[in-house]
Amino acid sequence: MSSYVWAFAEGGKDLKDLLGGKGANLAEMTNLGLPVPPGFTITTEACRVYLSTGTQPPELAGQIDEHLAELERVMGRRLGDPADPLLVSVRSGAKFSMPGMMETVLDIGLNDDSVRGLARVSGDERFAWDSYRRLVQMFGTTVLGIADEDFDDALDAAKRARGTTDDLGLGAADLRALVDTYKAVVARRSGAEFPQDPRRQLEMAVRAVFDSWNAPRAITYRRQEHIPTDLGTAVNVQVMVYGNRGADSGSGVAFTRDPATGEPGVYGDYLANAQGEDVVAGIRNTLPLAELERLDPTSYRALLQNMATLERHYRDLCDIEFTIEHGRLWMLQTRVGKRTAAAAFVIACQLLDDGLIDADEALRRVTGAQLAQLMFPRFDADAAPKTLATGMNASPGAATGAAVFDSATAVARAAAGERVILVRRETNPDDLAGIIAAQGVLTSRGGRTSHAAVVARGLGRTCVCGAEDLEVDLAGRRMLAPGGVTVVEGELLSIDGTTGEVFLGEVPVVASPVVRYFDGELHPEGPDSDELVRAVHRLLAHADSRRRLGVRANADTGQDAARARRFGAEGVGLCRTEHMFLGARREQVERLVLADSDAERESALAVLLPEQRDDFVMILRAMAGRPVTIRLLDPPLHEFLPDLTDLTVRVALAEQRAEPAERATLERDRALLSAVRRLHEQNPMLGLRGVRLGLAIPGLFGMQVRAIARATAELRAEGVDARPEIMVPLVGAVQELDSIVEEISAVLAEEAARTGVALDAPIGTMIELPRAALTAGRIAQHARFFSFGTNDLTQTTWGFSRDDVEGAFFSRYLDLGIFPTSPFETIDAEGVGRLIRIAVGEGRTVRPDLHIGICGEHGGDPASIHFFHDQDLDYVSCSPFRVPVARLEAGRAAIG
Ligand code: ADP
Ligand code: MG
Ligand code: MG
């Protein structure tokens, strides 16, 4: 027979699925011998049956009766007995804690008769009526759905009548009168009298807890926290203990360590003469827990002992609820407590030192997401002014700079050494340069998956998005904020990507010591170091010793490569070359496109060659001794040419003016315009780019390879161990790779002949098209390595362009649960991941020593890193700033 009800003594902490977190831990504490008021748990299974069928399982009522009878026997009292009533609480408790989302009712079993019995046996009239008024209010709001204000107003009126502001100022008679008022509220608002039958109170309360699973706020919370919608909640029925029995009673919460910093000690709050719900409700000021030592040393010592027992047993920070009744301590709840990122690292190492956990377990206790949080600078909270507005905390960090309203201005001011905040209604791909140049991005529209948010996160830029109270006036180069505040271009703004707050002016920041440590400015054992830095250092060292995945960085400049190296990168997994064709070099690209003879084309390439070589010298030098995977030119050519519309207008105007002096320019612009028209693509992402471009423009890739060869030869002559790898983008067919490898090899041979030194650079390809993945076996015949370009592979597998779809319908897709997180954030293991599996399997069958990595943004995403570990990749490559996160998660993936 399936049992829907479990006595506390029958359960245990590993039964959270069935008993919920609260029930499982109440069972655990019971079995540890801690003083837990007895009770039983109605399983999540019963709730699921109720939620799916609309009725409780038929056996449930009988099973509750049996357990209730047992409880009554043990306690020697009956539920709601008019002479000496047993009272119980009915407490919700799902598998995952959902603070404040679900419902609890205390003091079930009181009615017009049993309240007198309670008063008699306790000898405390006030306590009995206080409990009854609590029941009527909690029952009224939770079970009957009456607004809290209806009760609060009545309570306030009673306090006013008595001339007190404190609930303790109300006497027994006041509380009895209040119960009458409350019952009238119930009758008026719900259309029925407050139920007097205790068993019926219990039954209704259980059902209300079941129903609270689908309360709107619970649904919203689950969506936010990615908690499955079909788990249901358990219900705990527990004998009441009373913290409201006078000065020698009370309720409190406690943590075994400081959840903010991790420091061991006594943290918590205590409220005398109160029931548990009063502590968090803030009706009276609580005392720091340490004060309990003075008030009730015996209970205090017992509590400390229980806290130690729990921490040893759970081997983790515990969060505890307790009540003291007439000097006797009762434990009402425990769970492994939530904590800040900093506390997570510190506590893991403390427990390791205490011998409670081993190093692997300590590593399991921290996450890459937490480490990422520790790497962002923070505003100094004590120095922050009033906020101007609040938006979504899209990318953490604290950024201050001059407000600018377009990317060109952002780039120009940043180039002049100024810090800027890019303020836009929303950003688009054209803003990339501005985002890169800015300290942070502020938008008035768009959510967490908007372009600004996604790009800023990827780049490690601070971002607050969707601050709807702000009105961005691009034409007027200003922003209007509530209260008539106008921010003009150049005025200082501060944005906090961790909280979503926007401030006018500069807010002082505190640099993250963790980043100073990674940058080598802070030695973990040095005088400026602290426990957090030591903990990060220690756990990362352990991750490094355990991980199988290598970690490289995506870096395009010597500076980025150097930083990545300090952060622990073991090479560059993706060096993009496109930015090397911008700026002054654009002119040569235009010449290249316009060239009508081999000689003209070669002359343009000849100008680019030494400049490319210098780019490579810088990055190869910064990564000396480690591999640098250089990707040959990838984006479509027209990205380096003037905009079609601009050029059309320019030509039209010049034609109208027809000044003879402008003839030559006009001719050139006409030629350029026709080239731009010829190269114009409806869908450039799927057009002439990557290897296709290399094949279409003879000599282009050859020039890049020559630059790599010369940079390497130059460095090696200096004694620098340069190790380039040549990567061909956007290959879909082995024949494409084959042709380009032929060209590359010829260039390498020429260079070898010229310098007398052979360059053994491995040539490999990106796998970023489904066709490449599906024909990986053939491609591997011509590639020494694969690198998954998971951004493009995601786009081409799903058939959507990221820039277009993220802002357009992703939030809807997330709401509908079509994907739990954006597939650009976390690898879509089912679809894109399947292609990766195929490519790895077939590639390695053909070439067992095929070296395989991934260089998309997913390389820095914790969940994706675990997937790549499982697929046996050799390394992940991510932005320099994510390198420590990837190291940590690769280690965590290895220990399982
Ligand atoms: P939440 O999940 O919102 O914390 P709880 O079920 O823990 O809700 O209950 C709310 C408050 O009531 C807590 O402070 C808890 O300690 C207290 N409480 C619950 N059951 C009892 C009981 N049987 N006796 C005394 N206090 C209780
Ligand atoms: Mg609780
Ligand atoms: Mg790509």
Side-chain angles (χ1 to χ4, degrees):
M1 187 188 95
S2 87
S3 184
Y4 290 111
V5 185
W6 293 50
F8 287 168
E10 297 172 310
K13 72 175 162 53
D14 299 325
L15 291 171
K16 291 195 180 67
D17 285 328
L18 191 65
L19 304 177
K22 201 179 284 171
N25 288 324
L26 281 168
E28 192 74 15
M29 285 202 292
T30 302
N31 292 325
L32 276 174
L34 297 183
V36 177
F40 53 84
T41 303
I42 301 165
T43 64
T44 56
E45 176 68 44
C47 178
R48 284 192 294 270
V49 171
Y50 171 76
L51 292 174
S52 63
T53 64
T55 46
Q56 298 183 4
E59 310 92 309
L60 183 59
Q63 291 182 3
I64 291 177
D65 285 339
E66 277 167 35
H67 279 83
L68 187 59
E70 177 60 16
L71 209 54
E72 290 175 332
R73 196 188 60 75
V74 170
M75 299 306 294
R77 281 181 281 159
R78 282 186 305 107
L79 182 71
D81 183 339
D84 181 7
L86 174 69
L87 306 187
V88 296
S89 62
V90 173
R91 317 173 65 185
S92 61
K95 175 178 180 183
F96 301 106
S97 123
M98 296 167 51
M101 293 302 131
M102 309 283 296
E103 308 289 13
T104 284
V105 187
L106 304 182
D107 303 312
I108 292 272
L110 279 177
N111 58 23
D112 295 352
D113 295 328
S114 63
V115 69
R116 290 170 208 284
L118 185 63
R120 239 183 341 268
V121 288
S122 66
D124 188 343
E125 187 103 355
R126 184 190 182 280
F127 151 69
W129 289 101
D130 184 53
S131 302
Y132 196 15
R133 63 102 186 170
R134 288 168 186 273
L135 170 65
V136 180
Q137 169 156 9
M138 279 183 130
F139 195 93
T141 53
T142 316
V143 182
L144 304 173
I146 300 166
D148 261 312
E149 294 85 78
D150 288 326
F151 297 104
D152 291 342
D153 290 349
L155 179 61
D156 288 343
K159 285 188 206 160
R160 255 195 320 276
R162 180 54 60 199
T164 177
T165 53
D166 189 329
D167 60 313
L168 293 182
L170 298 175
D174 302 319
L175 291 164
R176 186 168 54 219
L178 193 58
V179 166
D180 283 337
T181 317
Y182 276 9
K183 286 198 301 189
V185 169
V186 166
R188 191 168 69 244
R189 292 287 181 205
S190 75
E193 294 299 324
F194 174 76
Q196 293 290 311
D197 173 7
R199 184 64 183 82
R200 186 166 150 64
Q201 290 173 1
L202 176 60
E203 147 99 40
M204 289 175 75
V206 168
R207 187 180 300 252
V209 172
F210 283 167
D211 284 329
S212 68
W213 178 257
N214 279 331
R217 63 180 178 192
I219 293 173
T220 309
Y221 183 85
R222 286 197 295 271
R223 187 173 294 162
Q224 179 90 14
E225 299 291 308
H226 301 304
I227 297 174
T229 55
D230 54 0
L231 298 176
T233 179
V235 186
N236 303 287
V237 177
Q238 186 174 28
V239 169
M240 282 300 300
V241 290
Y242 308 103
N244 56 336
R245 287 193 73 168
D248 62 350
S249 305
S251 283
V253 295
F255 292 90
T256 57
R257 288 170 201 250
D258 185 339
T261 63
E263 221 168 297
V266 181
Y267 297 89
D269 301 302
Y270 181 73
L271 193 57
N273 201 2
Q275 278 197 343
E277 77 274 16
D278 301 339
V279 180
V280 276
I283 53 158
R284 278 180 263 144
N285 285 337
T286 56
L287 296 174
L289 188 55
E291 295 278 303
L292 182 61
E293 182 167 22
R294 196 172 41 78
L295 295 175
D296 182 349
T298 314
S299 298
Y300 181 74
R301 270 195 304 277
L303 177 66
L304 255 47
Q305 217 163 46
N306 292 347
M307 284 164 67
T309 304
L310 286 172
E311 210 185 64
R312 265 199 315 278
H313 184 70
Y314 282 87
R315 303 180 308 140
D316 208 343
L317 158 76
C318 291
D319 157 347
I320 290 159
E321 289 176 5
F322 66 92
T323 278
I324 296 170
E325 177 178 346
H326 282 328
R328 175 149 185 218
L329 173 70
W330 293 95
M331 304 295 284
L332 288 172
Q333 188 173 333
T334 194
R335 66 184 157 214
V336 167
K338 294 206 159 65
R339 67 207 71 183
T340 62
F345 276 82
V346 167
I347 291 173
C349 285
Q350 288 171 354
L351 297 175
L352 177 57
D353 287 336
D354 292 348
L356 286 178
I357 58 176
D358 63 15
D360 280 356
E361 180 60 21
L363 184 53
R364 273 184 210 107
R365 299 277 178 93
V366 295
T367 66
Q370 287 168 332
L371 180 57
Q373 271 183 34
L374 297 177
M375 293 175 66
F376 290 110
R378 295 274 162 80
F379 283 128
D380 187 349
D382 300 333
K386 197 167 114 26
T387 59
L388 199 60
T390 302
M392 264 176 272
N393 51 343
S395 178
T400 297
V404 294
F405 298 92
D406 68 89
S407 281
T409 313
V411 172
R413 286 196 173 213
E418 198 176 355
R419 291 178 308 162
V420 298
I421 301 288
L422 179 63
V423 183
R424 305 281 286 159
R425 197 166 299 157
E426 54 202 348
T427 63
N428 62 47
D430 292 338
D431 287 317
L432 187 62
I435 297 174
I436 292 171
Q439 304 295 310
V441 187
L442 168 63
T443 67
S444 60
R445 293 220 311 245
R448 284 197 185 79
T449 64
S450 66
H451 179 268
V454 172
V455 173
R457 273 200 297 275
L459 293 168
R461 292 293 182 283
T462 298
C463 176
V464 171
C465 64
E468 290 179 356
D469 286 343
L470 299 176
E471 199 183 309
V472 178
D473 173 11
L474 180 58
R477 309 216 143 257
R478 58 187 191 152
M479 171 175 92
L480 308 174
V485 180
T486 303
V487 180
V488 300
E489 190 152 86
E491 253 184 281
L492 280 183
L493 276 183
S494 298
I495 60 173
D496 187 333
T498 312
T499 62
E501 290 168 306
V502 181
F503 305 96
L504 190 59
E506 173 153 20
V507 182
V509 289
V510 274
S512 154
V514 171
V515 166
R516 292 181 51 221
Y517 151 67
F518 287 135
D519 260 331
E521 290 169 21
L522 227 173
H523 192 274
E525 303 305 334
D528 295 343
S529 175
D530 58 16
E531 198 175 1
L532 173 60
V533 168
R534 281 191 294 276
V536 167
H537 171 69
R538 196 164 160 196
L539 294 177
L540 260 182
H542 186 62
D544 286 339
S545 76
R546 298 295 258 144
R547 69 187 158 88
R548 206 188 54 226
L549 276 174
V551 175
R552 297 193 189 180
N554 299 349
D556 307 343
T557 63
Q559 211 181 357
D560 275 0
R563 168 166 246 201
R565 191 169 187 154
R566 289 197 300 275
F567 279 27
E570 297 151 315
V572 168
L574 174 65
C575 169
R576 301 177 188 86
T577 53
E578 36 270 24
H579 72 98
M580 303 172 184
F581 290 81
L582 296 173
R585 302 184 199 171
R586 246 174 211 270
E587 202 182 312
Q588 299 308 321
V589 179
E590 287 175 15
R591 274 185 67 205
L592 192 62
V593 172
L594 295 179
D596 45 15
S597 68
D598 285 354
E600 173 65 11
R601 189 174 53 241
E602 273 158 27
S603 129
L605 287 171
V607 178
L608 288 167
L609 176 63
E611 307 201 10
Q612 277 264 276
R613 185 201 55 211
D614 291 349
D615 299 327
F616 295 142
V617 164
M618 281 197 287
I619 194 154
L620 288 167
R621 189 195 298 281
M623 262 301 160
R626 296 182 187 174
V628 175
T629 309
I630 298 171
R631 180 178 70 184
L632 303 179
L633 193 64
D634 183 38
L637 254 200
H638 71 79
E639 285 196 11
F640 306 100
L641 298 176
D643 176 72
L644 177 61
T645 320
D646 290 351
L647 193 57
T648 310
V649 171
R650 200 158 86 202
V651 168
L653 288 177
E655 276 169 350
Q656 237 169 24
R657 282 197 305 272
E659 306 269 353
E662 291 178 5
R663 274 246 74 81
T665 325
L666 178 59
E667 278 316 310
R668 191 171 178 285
D669 279 354
R670 276 193 183 133
L672 197 54
L673 179 59
S674 93
V676 169
R677 284 213 179 103
R678 182 160 44 78
L679 285 169
H680 183 74
E681 292 172 320
Q682 290 300 331
N683 219 331
M685 190 188 82
L686 301 176
L688 180 62
R689 49 172 287 217
V691 70
R692 304 162 192 171
L693 193 63
L695 292 171
I697 301 195
L700 177 61
F701 279 12
M703 179 277 292
Q704 292 199 283
V705 170
R706 204 178 296 280
I708 294 169
R710 292 193 181 172
T712 308
E714 189 179 316
L715 286 168
R716 289 193 181 164
E718 271 182 45
V720 177
D721 180 13
R723 297 196 193 173
E725 302 181 336
I726 298 169
M727 182 155 78
V728 183
L730 216 75
V731 165
V734 68
Q735 293 85 350
E736 292 172 310
L737 185 62
D738 199 12
S739 307
I740 220 73
V741 167
E742 209 170 292
E743 181 182 349
I744 293 173
S745 305
V747 171
L748 290 180
E750 265 174 54
E751 287 300 310
R754 206 176 69 97
T755 59
V757 192
L759 174 61
D760 47 0
I763 303 170
T765 180
M766 297 198 67
I767 302 288
E768 50 188 340
L769 294 173
R771 196 181 189 287
L774 295 171
T775 60
R778 297 201 59 200
I779 292 177
Q781 290 169 346
H782 294 261
R784 293 253 302 269
F785 64 86
F786 283 174
S787 178
F788 289 101
T790 49
N791 297 351
D792 269 318
L793 191 57
T794 300
Q795 298 197 97
T796 52
T797 300
W798 281 88
F800 47 44
S801 118
R802 177 176 191 167
D803 291 338
D804 293 326
V805 298
E806 270 188 337
F809 59 80
F810 261 33
S811 62
R812 179 84 183 118
Y813 266 39
L814 291 166
D815 282 348
L816 289 172
I818 291 171
F819 26 69
T821 43
S822 159
F824 292 110
E825 240 171 79
T826 294
I827 194 88
D828 155 34
E830 194 182 4
V832 178
R834 176 122 202 272
L835 288 168
I836 291 174
R837 264 194 294 279
I838 291 170
V840 170
E842 299 191 357
R844 288 227 172 103
T845 305
V846 169
R847 191 189 282 269
D849 65 345
L850 185 70
H851 202 240
I852 308 183
I854 170 263
C855 62
E857 248 184 84
H858 299 95
D861 169 63
S864 309
I865 290 168
H866 287 245
F867 175 82
F868 300 133
H869 169 90
D870 292 340
Q871 304 314 312
D872 242 342
L873 263 50
D874 292 298
Y875 68 89
V876 296
S877 187
C878 55
S879 68
F881 213 67
R882 297 294 288 184
V883 164
V885 173
R887 286 163 57 198
L888 189 81
E889 287 294 349
R892 296 183 72 234
I895 58 174

